[in-house]
């Protein structure tokens, strides 16, 4: 699709919403080549028109967006961006859609939908454009089965630290992970592969709206040996625990003592046009934590995290970026690498082992 506008199919059971979304995309330089009223029509439109991207409503008659996404991935793999209402129920089904192969999701606003969508049009156009570039048939599409199928803890990694792999880890290491578009599955995969024996304190900043980060934390907790929860203001974090930055809140590391850190949440202005911002957490971690520190940037659009990586490297920490081949969107990792402060560029399957390498004191 290089050299031409992205071509999109818009699927929504509301004629009004199909019109609003189509108008926004057309005005943003994205060619809407077909519309669909339900999942069945969406699958047919994809097979007939071979679009670069599909915007998919979650709840539709005849075939919902989840089943339509799964079907598209089977018969004609195409990048799908879910458009989800901002409700707890939709948070659950949206993550299910990601499991079925959707690249990411965009939350539909409530209230005066047309006015709100217009306000968010630049963000929607940018996300659709980025998702359209994803190669869902290639290595960038990751299997959730590899990151703990069925929502069960692996059970094997809990005893897999020094006893099984001969590693000895440094004391009190902290890991800060930042990601955006295409990131949820990548974060799950990386954290599911970290053994509890590493005793990391893990902070995750995933660009995600309020109301979805709690569900995201629950999903990772079910797939990881670590105790994972959504961050709260004043929350404390020790070894073997992980915090997911809360939607619409910056997460700042306020203090660190005796291997435990404390975070504060705020609604200061967005940084790099996002809140939570990776840079905010990484920079505060770099200035506050005096024990081993590792910064990781995964897939995502934009440049958030680049300054955070600089700060962690300047503080003597280790830095890792996901490689282009396995990144859904090679924006944030690319900008991090361009700083010259990234120690290792790794495919997603090697991220966890790369993290462990940075905190290993010896291998026998």
């Amino acid at each position: 699709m290089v050299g031409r506008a992205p071509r999109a199919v818009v699927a929504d059971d509301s004629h009004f919403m199909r019109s609003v979304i189509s108008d926004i995309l057309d005005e943003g330089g994205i060619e809407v080549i077909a519309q669909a009223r339900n999942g069945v029509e969406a699958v047919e439109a994809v097979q007939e028109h071979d679009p670069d991207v599909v915007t998919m409503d979650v709840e539709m008659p005849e075939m919902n967006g989840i089943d339509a996404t799964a079907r598209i991935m089977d018969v004609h793999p195409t990048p799908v961006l879910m458009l989800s209402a901002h409700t707890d129920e939709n948070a659950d089904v949206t993550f299910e859609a990601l499991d079925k192969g959707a690249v990411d999701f965009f939350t539909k606003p409530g209230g005066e939908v047309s006015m709100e969508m217009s306000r968010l049009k630049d963000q929607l156009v940018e996300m659709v454009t980025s998702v359209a570039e994803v190669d869902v048939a290639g290595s960038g599409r990751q299997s959730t089965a590899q990151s703990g199928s069925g929502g069960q803890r692996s059970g094997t990694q809990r005893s897999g630290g020094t006893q099984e792999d001969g590693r000895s880890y440094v004391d009190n290491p902290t890991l800060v992970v930042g990601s955006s578009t295409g990131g949820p599955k990548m974060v799950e995969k990386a954290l599911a592969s970290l053994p509890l024996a590493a005793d990391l304190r893990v902070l995750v900043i995933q660009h995600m709206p309020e109301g979805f980060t709690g569900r995201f934390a629950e999903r990772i907790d079910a797939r990881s040996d670590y105790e994972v929860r959504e961050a709260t203001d004043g929350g404390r974090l020790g070894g073997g625990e992980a915090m997911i930055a809360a939607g619409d809140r910056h997460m700042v590391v306020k203090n660190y003592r005796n291997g435990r850190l404390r975070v504060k949440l705020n609604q200061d202005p967005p940084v790099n046009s996002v809140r939570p911002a990776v840079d905010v957490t990484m920079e505060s971690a770099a200035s506050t934590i005096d024990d081993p520190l590792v910064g990781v940037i995964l897939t995502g659009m934009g440049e958030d995290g680049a300054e955070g990586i600089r700060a962690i490297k300047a503080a003597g920490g280790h830095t890792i970026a996901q490689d282009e081949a396995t990144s859904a969107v090679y924006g944030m990792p690319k900008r991090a690498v361009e700083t010259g402060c990234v120690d290792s560029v790794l495919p997603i399957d090697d991220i966890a082992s790369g993290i462990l390498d940075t905190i290993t004191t010896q291998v026998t």
Side-chain angles (χ1 to χ4, degrees), residues 53 79-82 98 102-106 123-134 140 178-187 205-208 274 278 297-304 322 326-333:
V53 61
V80 174
L81 176 68
M82 303 304 297
L98 295 182
V103 174
D104 213 322
F105 66 93
F106 185 88
Q123 183 182 346
L124 177 60
V125 167
E126 182 180 18
M127 183 166 280
V128 170
T129 302
S130 293
V131 169
E133 296 285 353
V134 176
S179 63
S180 185
T181 312
K185 289 180 286 187
M186 304 297 170
V187 172
I205 310 93
Q206 166 70 47
H207 296 162
M208 188 175 285
V274 292
V278 179
I297 299 294
L298 302 178
T299 175
M301 62 185 182
E303 60 185 11
D304 191 26
Q322 186 176 353
T326 63
S327 292
V329 180
Y330 193 58
M332 286 168 52

Short mmCIF file of all heavy atoms in Angstrom, two decimals, residues 53 79-82 98 102-106 123-134 140 178-187 205-208 274 278 297-304 322 326-333:
data_model
loop_
_atom_site.label_atom_id
_atom_site.label_comp_id
_atom_site.label_asym_id
_atom_site.label_seq_id
_atom_site.Cartn_x
_atom_site.Cartn_y
_atom_site.Cartn_z
N VAL A 53 -7.49 -2.30 5.81
CA VAL A 53 -7.88 -2.23 7.22
C VAL A 53 -9.40 -2.31 7.33
O VAL A 53 -10.12 -1.91 6.41
CB VAL A 53 -7.35 -0.93 7.87
CG1 VAL A 53 -7.93 0.31 7.19
CG2 VAL A 53 -7.57 -0.89 9.37
N PRO A 79 -5.79 -6.44 8.74
CA PRO A 79 -5.74 -5.71 10.01
C PRO A 79 -7.11 -5.19 10.41
O PRO A 79 -7.82 -4.59 9.61
CB PRO A 79 -4.78 -4.55 9.72
CG PRO A 79 -3.95 -5.01 8.58
CD PRO A 79 -4.86 -5.87 7.74
N VAL A 80 -7.50 -5.46 11.67
CA VAL A 80 -8.79 -5.04 12.19
C VAL A 80 -8.60 -4.12 13.38
O VAL A 80 -7.83 -4.43 14.30
CB VAL A 80 -9.64 -6.25 12.61
CG1 VAL A 80 -10.94 -5.80 13.30
CG2 VAL A 80 -9.97 -7.14 11.41
N LEU A 81 -9.29 -2.99 13.36
CA LEU A 81 -9.33 -2.08 14.50
C LEU A 81 -10.74 -2.15 15.08
O LEU A 81 -11.71 -1.80 14.41
CB LEU A 81 -9.01 -0.64 14.08
CG LEU A 81 -9.11 0.42 15.19
CD1 LEU A 81 -8.02 0.22 16.23
CD2 LEU A 81 -9.05 1.83 14.61
N MET A 82 -10.86 -2.62 16.32
CA MET A 82 -12.17 -2.69 16.96
C MET A 82 -12.60 -1.30 17.42
O MET A 82 -11.78 -0.53 17.94
CB MET A 82 -12.12 -3.63 18.17
CG MET A 82 -11.65 -5.04 17.87
SD MET A 82 -12.60 -5.90 16.59
CE MET A 82 -14.24 -5.97 17.37
N LEU A 98 -9.17 -9.02 20.54
CA LEU A 98 -7.72 -9.00 20.37
C LEU A 98 -7.17 -10.42 20.33
O LEU A 98 -6.25 -10.73 19.58
CB LEU A 98 -7.06 -8.20 21.49
CG LEU A 98 -7.38 -6.71 21.56
CD1 LEU A 98 -6.62 -6.05 22.71
CD2 LEU A 98 -7.05 -6.00 20.25
N ALA A 102 -7.57 -9.17 16.25
CA ALA A 102 -7.63 -7.72 16.05
C ALA A 102 -6.33 -7.08 16.50
O ALA A 102 -5.71 -7.53 17.48
CB ALA A 102 -8.81 -7.13 16.81
N VAL A 103 -5.91 -6.05 15.81
CA VAL A 103 -4.63 -5.39 16.14
C VAL A 103 -4.76 -4.52 17.39
O VAL A 103 -3.92 -4.55 18.27
CB VAL A 103 -4.15 -4.53 14.96
CG1 VAL A 103 -2.90 -3.74 15.33
CG2 VAL A 103 -3.86 -5.42 13.75
N ASP A 104 -5.84 -3.75 17.47
CA ASP A 104 -6.02 -2.84 18.60
C ASP A 104 -7.47 -2.39 18.63
O ASP A 104 -8.29 -2.89 17.86
CB ASP A 104 -5.09 -1.62 18.46
CG ASP A 104 -4.61 -1.10 19.81
OD1 ASP A 104 -5.42 -1.10 20.76
OD2 ASP A 104 -3.46 -0.67 19.92
N PHE A 105 -7.78 -1.45 19.53
CA PHE A 105 -9.15 -0.97 19.61
C PHE A 105 -9.17 0.53 19.85
O PHE A 105 -8.21 1.13 20.32
CB PHE A 105 -9.93 -1.69 20.72
CG PHE A 105 -9.43 -1.40 22.11
CD1 PHE A 105 -9.98 -0.38 22.88
CD2 PHE A 105 -8.42 -2.15 22.67
CE1 PHE A 105 -9.54 -0.10 24.16
CE2 PHE A 105 -7.96 -1.89 23.96
CZ PHE A 105 -8.52 -0.87 24.70
N PHE A 106 -10.29 1.13 19.49
CA PHE A 106 -10.52 2.56 19.67
C PHE A 106 -11.87 2.69 20.35
O PHE A 106 -12.85 2.08 19.91
CB PHE A 106 -10.53 3.26 18.30
CG PHE A 106 -10.65 4.76 18.36
CD1 PHE A 106 -9.52 5.54 18.46
CD2 PHE A 106 -11.90 5.38 18.31
CE1 PHE A 106 -9.63 6.94 18.50
CE2 PHE A 106 -12.01 6.75 18.35
CZ PHE A 106 -10.86 7.53 18.45
N GLN A 123 -7.17 11.46 16.01
CA GLN A 123 -6.67 10.27 16.69
C GLN A 123 -7.13 9.00 15.97
O GLN A 123 -6.36 8.06 15.79
CB GLN A 123 -7.14 10.27 18.14
CG GLN A 123 -6.61 9.11 18.97
CD GLN A 123 -7.14 9.14 20.39
OE1 GLN A 123 -7.70 10.14 20.84
NE2 GLN A 123 -6.99 8.04 21.10
N LEU A 124 -8.40 9.00 15.55
CA LEU A 124 -8.93 7.83 14.85
C LEU A 124 -8.22 7.63 13.51
O LEU A 124 -7.83 6.50 13.17
CB LEU A 124 -10.44 7.99 14.62
CG LEU A 124 -11.12 6.87 13.84
CD1 LEU A 124 -10.96 5.54 14.53
CD2 LEU A 124 -12.60 7.19 13.62
N VAL A 125 -8.03 8.70 12.76
CA VAL A 125 -7.36 8.60 11.47
C VAL A 125 -5.93 8.09 11.64
O VAL A 125 -5.46 7.22 10.90
CB VAL A 125 -7.36 9.97 10.74
CG1 VAL A 125 -6.40 9.96 9.55
CG2 VAL A 125 -8.77 10.32 10.29
N GLU A 126 -5.24 8.61 12.64
CA GLU A 126 -3.86 8.18 12.88
C GLU A 126 -3.80 6.69 13.23
O GLU A 126 -2.96 5.95 12.74
CB GLU A 126 -3.25 9.00 14.02
CG GLU A 126 -1.79 8.65 14.31
CD GLU A 126 -1.21 9.47 15.44
OE1 GLU A 126 -1.97 10.05 16.22
OE2 GLU A 126 0.04 9.52 15.55
N MET A 127 -4.75 6.24 14.07
CA MET A 127 -4.74 4.84 14.47
C MET A 127 -5.10 3.93 13.30
O MET A 127 -4.47 2.88 13.11
CB MET A 127 -5.67 4.61 15.66
CG MET A 127 -5.65 3.19 16.18
SD MET A 127 -6.42 2.98 17.80
CE MET A 127 -5.10 3.54 18.85
N VAL A 128 -6.11 4.29 12.53
CA VAL A 128 -6.50 3.47 11.39
C VAL A 128 -5.34 3.38 10.40
O VAL A 128 -5.04 2.30 9.85
CB VAL A 128 -7.76 4.05 10.70
CG1 VAL A 128 -8.02 3.34 9.37
CG2 VAL A 128 -8.97 3.89 11.61
N THR A 129 -4.66 4.49 10.17
CA THR A 129 -3.51 4.50 9.25
C THR A 129 -2.41 3.57 9.75
O THR A 129 -1.82 2.81 8.98
CB THR A 129 -2.97 5.93 9.10
OG1 THR A 129 -4.01 6.78 8.61
CG2 THR A 129 -1.80 5.96 8.13
N SER A 130 -2.13 3.61 11.05
CA SER A 130 -1.09 2.75 11.62
C SER A 130 -1.48 1.28 11.56
O SER A 130 -0.68 0.42 11.19
CB SER A 130 -0.80 3.15 13.07
OG SER A 130 -0.21 4.42 13.14
N VAL A 131 -2.73 0.99 11.92
CA VAL A 131 -3.19 -0.40 11.90
C VAL A 131 -3.16 -0.96 10.48
O VAL A 131 -2.86 -2.14 10.26
CB VAL A 131 -4.60 -0.50 12.53
CG1 VAL A 131 -5.22 -1.87 12.27
CG2 VAL A 131 -4.53 -0.22 14.03
N ALA A 132 -3.44 -0.12 9.50
CA ALA A 132 -3.44 -0.56 8.10
C ALA A 132 -2.07 -1.07 7.65
O ALA A 132 -1.97 -1.84 6.70
CB ALA A 132 -3.90 0.58 7.19
N GLU A 133 -1.03 -0.64 8.34
CA GLU A 133 0.34 -1.03 7.96
C GLU A 133 0.74 -2.38 8.55
O GLU A 133 1.79 -2.92 8.22
CB GLU A 133 1.33 0.03 8.44
CG GLU A 133 1.15 1.40 7.79
CD GLU A 133 1.66 1.44 6.37
OE1 GLU A 133 2.27 0.44 5.93
OE2 GLU A 133 1.45 2.46 5.68
N VAL A 134 -0.07 -2.93 9.44
CA VAL A 134 0.32 -4.15 10.16
C VAL A 134 0.19 -5.38 9.26
O VAL A 134 -0.80 -5.55 8.55
CB VAL A 134 -0.56 -4.33 11.42
CG1 VAL A 134 -0.23 -5.65 12.12
CG2 VAL A 134 -0.35 -3.16 12.37
N GLY A 140 4.41 -10.47 12.81
CA GLY A 140 3.94 -9.50 13.77
C GLY A 140 2.69 -9.93 14.50
O GLY A 140 2.34 -9.40 15.53
N GLY A 178 6.95 -0.04 28.24
CA GLY A 178 6.05 0.89 27.58
C GLY A 178 5.61 0.37 26.23
O GLY A 178 6.42 -0.19 25.48
N SER A 179 4.31 0.51 25.91
CA SER A 179 3.82 0.06 24.60
C SER A 179 2.55 0.80 24.24
O SER A 179 1.90 1.43 25.07
CB SER A 179 3.56 -1.45 24.60
OG SER A 179 2.55 -1.79 25.51
N SER A 180 2.17 0.68 22.96
CA SER A 180 0.97 1.35 22.48
C SER A 180 0.27 0.46 21.47
O SER A 180 -0.05 -0.68 21.80
CB SER A 180 1.34 2.71 21.88
OG SER A 180 0.19 3.43 21.49
N THR A 181 0.06 0.92 20.25
CA THR A 181 -0.70 0.18 19.25
C THR A 181 -0.14 -1.22 19.04
O THR A 181 1.03 -1.39 18.76
CB THR A 181 -0.70 0.93 17.91
OG1 THR A 181 -1.01 2.30 18.14
CG2 THR A 181 -1.71 0.33 16.95
N GLY A 182 -1.02 -2.22 19.19
CA GLY A 182 -0.59 -3.60 19.04
C GLY A 182 0.07 -4.17 20.28
O GLY A 182 0.52 -5.31 20.29
N GLY A 183 0.11 -3.38 21.35
CA GLY A 183 0.88 -3.75 22.53
C GLY A 183 0.27 -4.74 23.49
O GLY A 183 1.01 -5.50 24.13
N PRO A 184 -1.05 -4.76 23.69
CA PRO A 184 -1.59 -5.64 24.74
C PRO A 184 -1.13 -7.08 24.66
O PRO A 184 -0.71 -7.66 25.67
CB PRO A 184 -3.11 -5.52 24.53
CG PRO A 184 -3.29 -4.12 24.01
CD PRO A 184 -2.11 -3.89 23.10
N LYS A 185 -1.17 -7.68 23.47
CA LYS A 185 -0.75 -9.07 23.34
C LYS A 185 0.75 -9.22 23.57
O LYS A 185 1.22 -10.24 24.09
CB LYS A 185 -1.13 -9.62 21.97
CG LYS A 185 -2.63 -9.83 21.80
CD LYS A 185 -2.99 -10.36 20.43
CE LYS A 185 -2.88 -9.32 19.35
NZ LYS A 185 -3.38 -9.78 18.04
N MET A 186 1.52 -8.20 23.19
CA MET A 186 2.97 -8.25 23.37
C MET A 186 3.35 -8.15 24.85
O MET A 186 4.25 -8.84 25.33
CB MET A 186 3.64 -7.11 22.58
CG MET A 186 3.31 -7.09 21.11
SD MET A 186 3.90 -8.57 20.25
CE MET A 186 3.09 -8.37 18.66
N VAL A 187 2.65 -7.28 25.57
CA VAL A 187 2.90 -7.16 27.01
C VAL A 187 2.56 -8.47 27.71
O VAL A 187 3.33 -8.96 28.55
CB VAL A 187 2.07 -6.00 27.61
CG1 VAL A 187 2.17 -6.01 29.13
CG2 VAL A 187 2.55 -4.66 27.06
N ILE A 205 3.28 0.60 31.20
CA ILE A 205 2.50 1.72 30.68
C ILE A 205 2.04 1.35 29.29
O ILE A 205 2.82 1.35 28.33
CB ILE A 205 3.34 3.03 30.62
CG1 ILE A 205 4.03 3.29 31.95
CG2 ILE A 205 2.44 4.22 30.27
CD1 ILE A 205 5.45 2.73 32.02
N GLN A 206 0.78 0.99 29.18
CA GLN A 206 0.15 0.67 27.91
C GLN A 206 -0.85 1.77 27.60
O GLN A 206 -1.72 2.06 28.41
CB GLN A 206 -0.56 -0.68 28.00
CG GLN A 206 -1.52 -0.98 26.85
CD GLN A 206 -0.81 -1.24 25.54
OE1 GLN A 206 0.15 -2.00 25.49
NE2 GLN A 206 -1.28 -0.61 24.47
N HIS A 207 -0.72 2.41 26.44
CA HIS A 207 -1.68 3.44 26.06
C HIS A 207 -3.05 2.79 25.91
O HIS A 207 -3.30 2.05 24.96
CB HIS A 207 -1.26 4.10 24.74
CG HIS A 207 0.03 4.84 24.82
ND1 HIS A 207 0.75 5.20 23.70
CD2 HIS A 207 0.74 5.30 25.89
CE1 HIS A 207 1.84 5.85 24.07
NE2 HIS A 207 1.86 5.91 25.39
N MET A 208 -3.93 3.07 26.86
CA MET A 208 -5.22 2.41 26.90
C MET A 208 -6.18 3.29 27.69
O MET A 208 -5.79 3.91 28.68
CB MET A 208 -5.06 1.04 27.59
CG MET A 208 -6.26 0.14 27.54
SD MET A 208 -5.88 -1.50 28.26
CE MET A 208 -4.92 -2.23 26.94
N VAL A 274 -0.34 11.82 24.99
CA VAL A 274 -0.97 10.66 25.64
C VAL A 274 -0.92 10.78 27.16
O VAL A 274 -0.06 11.45 27.73
CB VAL A 274 -0.30 9.34 25.21
CG1 VAL A 274 -0.56 9.04 23.75
CG2 VAL A 274 1.19 9.36 25.50
N VAL A 278 4.58 6.94 28.75
CA VAL A 278 5.73 6.11 29.11
C VAL A 278 6.86 6.98 29.66
O VAL A 278 7.51 6.64 30.66
CB VAL A 278 6.21 5.30 27.90
CG1 VAL A 278 7.42 4.44 28.27
CG2 VAL A 278 5.08 4.44 27.34
N ILE A 297 10.82 -0.90 25.44
CA ILE A 297 9.83 -0.27 24.57
C ILE A 297 9.34 -1.30 23.57
O ILE A 297 10.12 -1.87 22.80
CB ILE A 297 10.41 0.95 23.82
CG1 ILE A 297 10.87 2.02 24.81
CG2 ILE A 297 9.37 1.51 22.86
CD1 ILE A 297 9.75 2.65 25.61
N LEU A 298 8.03 -1.53 23.57
CA LEU A 298 7.41 -2.46 22.65
C LEU A 298 6.66 -1.70 21.56
O LEU A 298 6.67 -0.48 21.52
CB LEU A 298 6.45 -3.40 23.41
CG LEU A 298 7.07 -4.22 24.54
CD1 LEU A 298 6.00 -5.07 25.23
CD2 LEU A 298 8.19 -5.11 24.02
N THR A 299 5.98 -2.42 20.71
CA THR A 299 5.26 -1.86 19.56
C THR A 299 4.39 -0.66 19.93
O THR A 299 3.82 -0.59 21.01
CB THR A 299 4.40 -2.95 18.92
OG1 THR A 299 3.60 -2.39 17.88
CG2 THR A 299 3.45 -3.57 19.95
N GLY A 300 4.26 0.26 19.00
CA GLY A 300 3.39 1.41 19.22
C GLY A 300 3.70 2.54 18.27
O GLY A 300 4.82 2.66 17.78
N MET A 301 2.69 3.40 18.02
CA MET A 301 2.92 4.55 17.15
C MET A 301 3.35 5.75 18.00
O MET A 301 3.03 5.83 19.19
CB MET A 301 1.67 4.88 16.34
CG MET A 301 0.45 5.27 17.15
SD MET A 301 -1.00 5.50 16.07
CE MET A 301 -2.22 6.02 17.28
N GLY A 302 4.08 6.65 17.38
CA GLY A 302 4.52 7.85 18.07
C GLY A 302 5.92 7.72 18.63
O GLY A 302 6.69 6.83 18.27
N GLU A 303 6.26 8.64 19.53
CA GLU A 303 7.62 8.69 20.06
C GLU A 303 7.67 8.57 21.57
O GLU A 303 8.73 8.75 22.19
CB GLU A 303 8.28 10.00 19.63
CG GLU A 303 7.56 11.26 20.12
CD GLU A 303 8.19 12.54 19.58
OE1 GLU A 303 9.04 12.45 18.68
OE2 GLU A 303 7.80 13.62 20.06
N ASP A 304 6.54 8.28 22.21
CA ASP A 304 6.54 8.16 23.66
C ASP A 304 7.50 7.06 24.10
O ASP A 304 7.51 5.98 23.52
CB ASP A 304 5.12 7.85 24.15
CG ASP A 304 4.99 7.96 25.66
OD1 ASP A 304 5.77 8.72 26.27
OD2 ASP A 304 4.11 7.29 26.23
N GLN A 322 11.74 -3.60 21.07
CA GLN A 322 11.24 -4.66 20.20
C GLN A 322 11.69 -4.39 18.76
O GLN A 322 11.76 -3.23 18.33
CB GLN A 322 9.72 -4.73 20.28
CG GLN A 322 9.11 -5.90 19.51
CD GLN A 322 7.60 -5.98 19.69
OE1 GLN A 322 7.01 -5.24 20.49
NE2 GLN A 322 6.96 -6.85 18.94
N THR A 326 8.69 -7.93 14.40
CA THR A 326 7.61 -8.44 15.24
C THR A 326 6.76 -7.34 15.86
O THR A 326 5.83 -7.62 16.61
CB THR A 326 8.17 -9.33 16.38
OG1 THR A 326 9.01 -8.56 17.24
CG2 THR A 326 8.94 -10.51 15.81
N SER A 327 7.06 -6.07 15.55
CA SER A 327 6.25 -4.96 16.04
C SER A 327 5.07 -4.73 15.11
O SER A 327 5.25 -4.63 13.89
CB SER A 327 7.08 -3.67 16.11
OG SER A 327 8.09 -3.74 17.10
N ALA A 328 3.87 -4.63 15.69
CA ALA A 328 2.72 -4.29 14.86
C ALA A 328 2.92 -2.93 14.23
O ALA A 328 2.63 -2.72 13.05
CB ALA A 328 1.45 -4.31 15.71
N VAL A 329 3.42 -1.98 15.02
CA VAL A 329 3.72 -0.63 14.54
C VAL A 329 5.11 -0.26 15.05
O VAL A 329 5.33 -0.13 16.26
CB VAL A 329 2.68 0.39 15.03
CG1 VAL A 329 3.02 1.78 14.53
CG2 VAL A 329 1.27 -0.01 14.58
N TYR A 330 6.04 -0.07 14.14
CA TYR A 330 7.42 0.21 14.54
C TYR A 330 7.65 1.72 14.63
O TYR A 330 8.42 2.31 13.90
CB TYR A 330 8.39 -0.41 13.54
CG TYR A 330 9.83 -0.45 14.01
CD1 TYR A 330 10.18 -1.10 15.18
CD2 TYR A 330 10.83 0.16 13.26
CE1 TYR A 330 11.49 -1.15 15.61
CE2 TYR A 330 12.15 0.12 13.68
CZ TYR A 330 12.47 -0.53 14.84
OH TYR A 330 13.79 -0.58 15.28
N GLY A 331 6.91 2.34 15.56
CA GLY A 331 7.06 3.77 15.78
C GLY A 331 7.84 4.05 17.05
O GLY A 331 8.96 4.57 17.02
N MET A 332 7.27 3.68 18.19
CA MET A 332 7.94 3.90 19.48
C MET A 332 9.29 3.19 19.57
O MET A 332 10.28 3.79 19.99
CB MET A 332 7.01 3.50 20.63
CG MET A 332 5.89 4.50 20.87
SD MET A 332 4.59 3.92 21.98
CE MET A 332 5.51 3.36 23.40
N PRO A 333 9.39 1.90 19.18
CA PRO A 333 10.70 1.27 19.24
C PRO A 333 11.72 1.95 18.34
O PRO A 333 12.90 2.09 18.71
CB PRO A 333 10.43 -0.18 18.80
CG PRO A 333 8.97 -0.38 19.04
CD PRO A 333 8.34 0.94 18.78
#
